[in-house]
């Protein structure tokens, strides 16, 4: 779900919201089971899910624990920018090690989450790639010591 504007939303009816909530609970839940819960056929659920995917409303992915798949260092990097933040946000988003970029108001113009193999990899990313981007004035790193909560079941409104 890249490059979303906070003011752009897709109108969702109550059935689509219910489907999303079912999938937030279990992304592998069978369409037939979802259909029973929301009052649609399996085929109708399949079509609705595909439309939600095509519209960028949701993704269905395997969420891994980076530590268990060889990435021992994660950090959030706050970036202060001189001038237009969009080109820098785009450059960060294009980096494989960056899994999250958000434009912010406050002390930083951008926040980027990095998933790296080790401290050396993180240092290379910050020093050689992020700080080397034209317009980056300052960075501050927040190295993750322990993940206490990560959830995707916030429902819909």
């Amino acid at each position: 779900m890249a490059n979303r504007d906070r003011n752009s939303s897709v109108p969702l009816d109550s059935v689509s919201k219910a489907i999303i909530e079912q999938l937030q609970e279990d992304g592998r839940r069978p369409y037939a089971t979802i259909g029973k819960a929301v009052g649609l056929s399996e085929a109708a659920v399949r079509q609705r899910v595909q439309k939600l995917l095509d519209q960028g409303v949701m993704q269905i992915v395997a969420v891994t624990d980076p530590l268990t798949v060889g990435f021992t260092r994660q950090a959030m990097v706050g970036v202060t920018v001189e001038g237009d933040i969009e080109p820098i946000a785009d450059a960060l988003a294009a980096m494989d090690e960056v899994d999250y970029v958000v434009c912010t108001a406050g002390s930083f113009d951008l926040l980027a989450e990095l998933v790296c193999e080790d401290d050396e990899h993180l240092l290379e990313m910050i020093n050689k790639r992020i700080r080397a981007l034209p317009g980056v004035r300052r960075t501050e790193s927040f190295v993750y010591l322990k993940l206490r909560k990560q959830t995707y079941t916030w429902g819909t409104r």
Side-chain angles (χ1 to χ4, degrees):
M1 284 195 238
N3 213 7
R4 282 187 300 127
D5 184 336
R6 290 250 338 128
N7 298 321
S8 66
S9 65
V10 175
L12 300 174
D13 64 15
S14 61
V15 175
S16 290
K17 290 178 181 180
I19 291 169
I20 292 167
E21 289 170 359
Q22 289 281 315
L23 289 168
Q24 283 177 325
E25 290 175 16
D26 179 359
R28 298 184 334 158
R29 185 166 287 157
Y31 292 154
T33 304
I34 295 170
K36 288 177 186 166
V38 302
L40 293 177
S41 69
E42 179 180 351
V45 170
R46 180 174 285 107
Q47 288 176 342
R48 290 252 190 160
V49 168
Q50 190 57 55
K51 183 176 179 184
L52 292 167
L53 293 169
D54 292 345
Q55 291 175 323
V57 172
M58 66 178 191
Q59 297 176 10
I60 300 174
V61 298
V63 178
T64 61
D65 176 352
L67 287 173
T68 65
V69 292
F71 297 98
T72 61
R73 181 55 68 216
Q74 286 181 271
M76 185 66 70
V77 178
V79 181
T80 304
V81 172
E82 227 172 86
D84 187 3
I85 66 173
E86 295 288 337
I88 295 171
D90 291 342
L92 291 170
M95 296 178 186
D96 289 338
E97 294 87 350
V98 176
D99 67 354
Y100 177 82
V101 178
V102 62
C103 301
T104 66
S107 299
F108 302 105
D109 298 309
L110 301 166
L111 291 174
E113 184 178 63
L114 279 70
V115 179
C116 298
E117 294 173 23
D118 52 30
D119 287 337
E120 190 65 32
H121 186 198
L122 177 61
L123 177 61
E124 177 186 328
M125 287 299 302
I126 294 168
N127 198 40
K128 304 272 192 230
R129 301 209 28 221
I130 295 174
R131 288 183 178 157
L133 293 171
V136 171
R137 188 173 59 193
R138 182 175 82 85
T139 65
E140 185 173 344
S141 302
F142 303 90
V143 174
Y144 297 179
L145 300 176
K146 186 175 188 179
L147 179 65
R148 293 301 299 241
K149 181 178 181 179
Q150 183 174 24
T151 183
Y152 301 98
T153 56
W154 49 77
T156 60
R157 300 291 178 268

